[in-house]
Amino acid sequence: MTLEEIEFELELAGLSREQQVKLLSFVRMNGFDAKMLDRKLQLMGFTPIFSVYDEEEGQNKA
């Protein structure tokens, strides 16, 4: 996923700009990790949204 796609998903999920920036910075430093992003979203009180992308990538590699 690109940073723009991640940002779009975070915006749709209702995160504030500050929360989006925090998570996007994490992705820039550590790369895209769907499970970790979902864990961070849950800690912020949001529903996980990225695990579906992790599952899709796994299906494409098979």
Side-chain angles (χ1 to χ4, degrees):
M1 268 188 109
T2 67
L3 286 174
E4 291 80 17
E5 291 169 329
I6 295 168
E7 183 176 7
F8 179 71
E9 292 294 337
L10 295 173
E11 188 175 329
L12 288 179
L15 276 75
S16 71
R17 186 65 188 146
E18 182 179 322
Q19 292 168 319
Q20 291 175 36
V21 168
K22 182 183 269 187
L23 289 177
L24 290 169
S25 293
F26 172 81
V27 172
R28 281 186 194 100
M29 291 173 53
N30 302 294
F32 176 70
D33 181 341
K35 290 179 185 174
M36 183 60 75
L37 280 176
D38 279 347
R39 204 169 299 133
K40 288 186 173 293
L41 283 171
Q42 286 179 309
L43 291 172
M44 297 171 129
F46 291 93
T47 303
I49 55 175
F50 291 105
S51 294
V52 66
Y53 297 108
D54 194 37
E55 291 169 7
E56 287 176 2
E57 285 183 17
Q59 290 174 358
N60 291 339
K61 292 179 183 177

